[in-house]
Amino acid sequence: MRKAMVPLAVILSVMTILLAAVWMRYARDIRELETRVDSSVVYDRHYIMIAQDNSRMWQTIYESARDTAAGESVYLEWAGWGGADEYTAADCMQIAIASRVDGIILYTDGDSRISGLIDEAMEQGIPVVTVMNDDTESRRVSYVGVNHYQLGNICGEQVLELLKDGENRIMMISGSAAGDVGTNLMYSQMNQVIARGKKADQTVKISTYTIEGNTNFDAEEAIRDIFVNSQTVPDILICMDTISAECACQAVVDYNQVGKVDVIGYYASETIADGVERGLLSMTVALDMEEMGDFCVGALNEYLDLGYVSNYFNVGLDVLTRDNVNRYLAAQADEEA
C-alpha cells in the first residue's frame, strides 16, 4: 500500500506544477493582450525613414519627424541602423517597397542602385523624400536639407577670419555618403568666397578627404591618419559631418594641436558644443534638426494630399562660436522644456 502511494504523490505533484504553469501562461497572455488593446493606435499612413547614421543628430531628426508624424496619424519607422547585420540603404529601400509603405524618407549612402530604387518606388505609388544628401538623378518628390550655396558662403567667411599671413592649408573632410552635387556646390562657393576675400600676402591650398565607411571607427582612423602625418596636418580642417567633427575635437587634444589647427565643425552635439566652448573647435554650423524632421513628414503628407510638393526645403543654419554657443544651447533647452 505504501509503495502505491509514492507514484500517486509524484503524479499529483507533476499535475500541480503543470496546472500552475498553464495558469501563469494564461495570465501572462491576458496581460499582454490587455496591453496591446489599451495601447493600440490606428494610423492612416505608414512612412519609413532610412538612415544608417545613428548619431545624436539623426536621432534628433527622427524624434522630431516621429512626433510630427504621430500628430498627423502617421506611423514613422526608422530602418537601417544598429546591429551586426546592418542593412544598406538599398536593402532598406527594397524592403520598404516590398512592404508597400506609404512614403519613404531617405538618407542615401552613395550606393549606385539608389536612383533606380527611388524610381521603382515612385512607379509603385510610394513617394520618396531625400534628406541631407540629395539624388538629383532620381524622381524623388522633394529634398530636405542644407542650402549648400549658403553653407559655402558661411564656411568661406569663417575661413577668411582664420587665415594667417603666408601659406594656409585647408582640408575639407566628409563621409563617403555625402552627396557629390551638394558637396561640390558648397566647395565651389566656399572657394569663390575665399578667393575674393583673402589678402594679397595670403595663399590658400584647399584639399578634400573622403572617409571610406560610415562608422565611428572609420572616422577615427581617418582623422588619426591626418594628424599623425606632419605633411597632411592642415591649418584649417572643415568637417562636413557630425562624426568627423567629434573625432577632430578629440584629435586636436590627443595630438597636441590645440591652437595650431582650426577646426570648423558640423551640428551642435554635446561633444561639439563643449569643444567650441573650450576652444577646441573654432566654430560649428548648427542645423535646425527639428525643422528638418518636420519638413520631411510635411513633404510626404503634402505630396500624398495634393499630388505635388515643393522641390526643395532648406533648413535654418546657425554659426556657433565661443561667444554665442552658451546662449544657443540655453535657447534650445528652453524650447525643449
Side-chain angles (χ1 to χ4, degrees):
M1 182 67 177
R2 185 175 297 175
K3 293 182 178 179
M5 290 295 291
V6 175
L8 180 60
V10 172
I11 292 172
L12 288 174
S13 298
V14 172
M15 289 180 64
T16 301
I17 293 172
L18 289 173
L19 286 172
V22 170
W23 171 253
M24 292 174 63
R25 174 64 182 273
Y26 174 78
R28 189 193 66 184
D29 290 345
I30 289 296
R31 288 195 300 271
E32 290 180 352
L33 178 60
E34 289 174 346
T35 301
R36 288 196 297 268
V37 171
D38 291 342
S39 63
S40 63
V41 179
V42 177
Y43 294 97
D44 295 331
R45 291 169 178 164
H46 176 197
Y47 297 161
I48 187 168
M49 175 180 282
I50 299 172
Q52 272 66 34
D53 191 334
N54 67 342
S55 64
R56 182 56 198 163
M57 181 182 79
W58 274 99
Q59 291 178 41
T60 303
I61 294 174
Y62 170 71
E63 289 166 4
S64 173
R66 180 196 58 197
D67 292 344
T68 300
E72 300 289 339
S73 191
V74 175
Y75 174 66
L76 179 64
E77 180 181 1
W78 187 0
W81 70 281
D85 300 323
E86 185 174 310
Y87 291 106
T88 66
D91 294 332
C92 292
M93 281 291 293
Q94 291 173 330
I95 293 171
I97 293 169
S99 301
R100 301 295 301 168
V101 297
D102 297 297
I104 299 172
I105 299 169
L106 173 66
Y107 173 61
T108 68
D109 60 0
D111 193 318
S112 59
R113 297 172 293 171
I114 290 297
S115 294
L117 288 168
I118 293 175
D119 293 347
E120 181 181 342
M122 290 296 299
E123 289 168 4
Q124 297 194 30
I126 305 173
V128 179
V129 169
T130 53
V131 56
M132 292 294 283
N133 289 337
D134 199 6
D135 190 330
T136 56
E137 300 300 317
S138 71
R139 292 167 53 193
R140 59 100 175 115
V141 298
S142 188
Y143 164 68
V144 178
V146 178
N147 183 322
H148 288 89
Y149 180 87
Q150 180 186 6
L151 184 60
N153 279 330
I154 290 174
C155 289
E157 291 167 0
Q158 294 302 313
V159 166
L160 288 175
E161 294 185 11
L162 298 172
L163 291 180
K164 65 180 188 298
D165 293 338
E167 183 183 53
N168 294 267
R169 293 186 297 179
I170 303 171
M171 178 178 291
M172 189 171 74
I173 185 168
S174 61
S176 59
D180 292 338
V181 175
T183 301
N184 289 341
L185 176 59
M186 179 268 176
Y187 177 85
S188 175
Q189 184 58 25
M190 181 184 71
N191 220 345
Q192 291 183 38
V193 171
I194 295 172
R196 290 195 303 265
K198 68 181 182 67
K199 299 176 183 177
D201 60 347
Q202 293 174 331
T203 59
V204 176
K205 181 179 180 181
I206 305 177
S207 61
T208 59
Y209 188 106
T210 301
I211 300 173
E212 297 300 331
N214 299 314
T215 67
N216 287 10
F217 178 77
D218 295 323
E220 289 170 1
E221 285 294 293
I223 296 293
R224 186 193 68 82
D225 290 344
I226 291 171
F227 277 86
V228 297
N229 186 346
S230 60
Q231 300 300 315
T232 59
V233 177
D235 299 298
I236 301 173
L237 181 64
I238 303 172
C239 301
M240 295 298 295
D241 58 67
T242 311
I243 296 175
S244 63
E246 291 182 344
C247 291
C249 186
Q250 183 61 44
V252 293
V253 176
D254 293 343
Y255 298 101
N256 195 31
Q257 294 293 331
V258 178
K260 301 176 183 178
V261 177
D262 290 301
V263 180
I264 294 178
Y266 198 73
Y267 184 54
S269 68
E270 183 177 346
T271 299
I272 293 173
D274 181 65
V276 173
E277 186 179 11
R278 295 168 56 195
L280 305 180
L281 277 73
S282 300
M283 53 83 66
T284 189
V285 179
L287 285 67
D288 193 330
M289 298 296 117
E290 293 187 357
E291 185 179 56
M292 189 173 293
D294 291 341
F295 283 165
C296 288
V297 174
L300 286 176
N301 284 342
E302 186 174 336
Y303 182 82
L304 290 171
D305 290 339
L306 305 176
Y308 56 85
V309 67
S310 175
N311 200 35
Y312 289 97
F313 287 86
N314 294 321
V315 299
L317 298 174
D318 287 301
V319 177
L320 304 186
T321 65
R322 202 169 186 175
D323 296 329
N324 66 356
V325 65
N326 286 329
R327 291 196 300 272
Y328 174 86
L329 294 176
Q332 292 295 105
D334 289 341
E335 290 181 5
E336 293 177 1

